[in-house]
Amino acid sequence: MKENKKLQVSAIKDGTVIDHIPAKNLFKVIRILGLMNLENQVTFGTNLDSQKLGKKAIIKLSNKFFEDEEISKIILVAPKARLNIIKNYEVIDKKLVSVPDKIIGIAKCVNPKCVTNHEKVKTKFKVLSKSNVALKCLYCEKITDEEHIEIII
Ligand code: CTP
Ligand code: ZN
């Protein structure tokens, strides 16, 4: 933490701080992780200044620690997010979001003819690109690239 700057959202004692979320995707991250159903204390800030993202959002979750697999789903909307693990007010670990092999549900297939757009079947994708996320539909094989990813939850 830089000495000359105050925290824009209060520090937490124990838990996870998800930083570097693009501001426009904050609510998508909340939906993907199901944070609206948590009983834990959750605080967030949005439209905070960031040199890298322009405007960023941050989410602080008290007493919540994620499995890597659970958090990897946010790769679709916050590929550059950083997780800070806090124990007794100290940052004890910093992690990037890992790239999952598959994504089940969450996103819509770009192909209007795909079965997932006509019947009640969950979408399933193989994650292709590691830098710019692209999703290959396991039903119709069409590729949904990053710009076209539409979150359906
Ligand atoms: N943080 C927090 N509660 C704590 C300690 C840290 O909420 N008890 C938050 C900070 O506000 C920051 C993030 O966790 O958003 C990472 O903390 P730190 O590594 O100290 O800050 P920076 O060096 O600014 O982080 P970065 O290198 O990610 O810019
Ligand atoms: Zn498809």
Side-chain angles (χ1 to χ4, degrees):
M1 205 187 301
K2 284 133 208 117
E3 298 300 325
N4 58 345
K5 278 195 186 167
K6 274 209 242 156
L7 283 187
Q8 299 184 90
V9 182
S10 299
I12 59 173
K13 181 167 188 282
D14 297 288
T16 304
V17 173
I18 311 173
D19 198 355
H20 295 271
I21 299 167
K24 66 176 171 41
N25 289 342
L26 169 66
F27 292 95
K28 289 180 182 164
V29 171
I30 290 173
R31 291 211 308 275
I32 291 171
L33 295 177
L35 302 183
M36 57 286 185
N37 302 320
L38 275 185
E39 303 266 309
N40 307 50
Q41 281 189 13
V42 182
T43 52
F44 62 78
T46 189
N47 293 326
L48 309 176
D49 293 317
S50 161
Q51 291 186 342
K52 286 182 202 145
L53 295 174
K55 296 282 181 193
K56 71 166 187 177
I58 189 166
I59 302 174
K60 301 192 178 191
L61 299 131
S62 292
N63 302 311
K64 172 79 186 160
F65 302 94
F66 295 94
E67 298 295 334
D68 286 354
E69 201 190 311
E70 198 180 359
I71 206 86
S72 69
K73 299 182 212 166
I74 73 169
I75 199 92
L76 298 180
V77 297
K80 299 194 175 86
R82 275 188 273 168
L83 300 187
N84 299 277
I85 314 303
I86 318 289
K87 292 265 167 84
N88 203 20
Y89 291 105
E90 298 279 327
V91 179
I92 60 152
D93 199 8
K94 281 182 182 271
K95 299 194 257 188
L96 294 173
V97 180
S98 60
V99 183
D101 296 331
K102 291 201 175 117
I103 294 272
I104 314 282
I106 303 173
K108 181 173 160 23
C109 177
V110 78
N111 176 11
K113 292 188 181 149
C114 181
V115 64
T116 60
N117 288 317
H118 296 281
E119 287 170 33
K120 272 205 161 177
V121 272
K122 261 195 184 171
T123 57
K124 281 189 194 155
F125 302 96
K126 183 174 166 35
V127 180
L128 293 184
S129 160
K130 304 280 168 186
S131 46
N132 271 313
V133 179
L135 302 174
K136 182 174 181 180
C137 179
L138 295 180
Y139 290 98
C140 73
E141 304 199 321
K142 286 275 183 299
I143 293 167
T144 304
D145 61 23
E146 196 165 29
E147 298 174 51
H148 294 101
I149 292 173
E150 196 182 316
I151 302 300
I152 51 176
I153 56 166

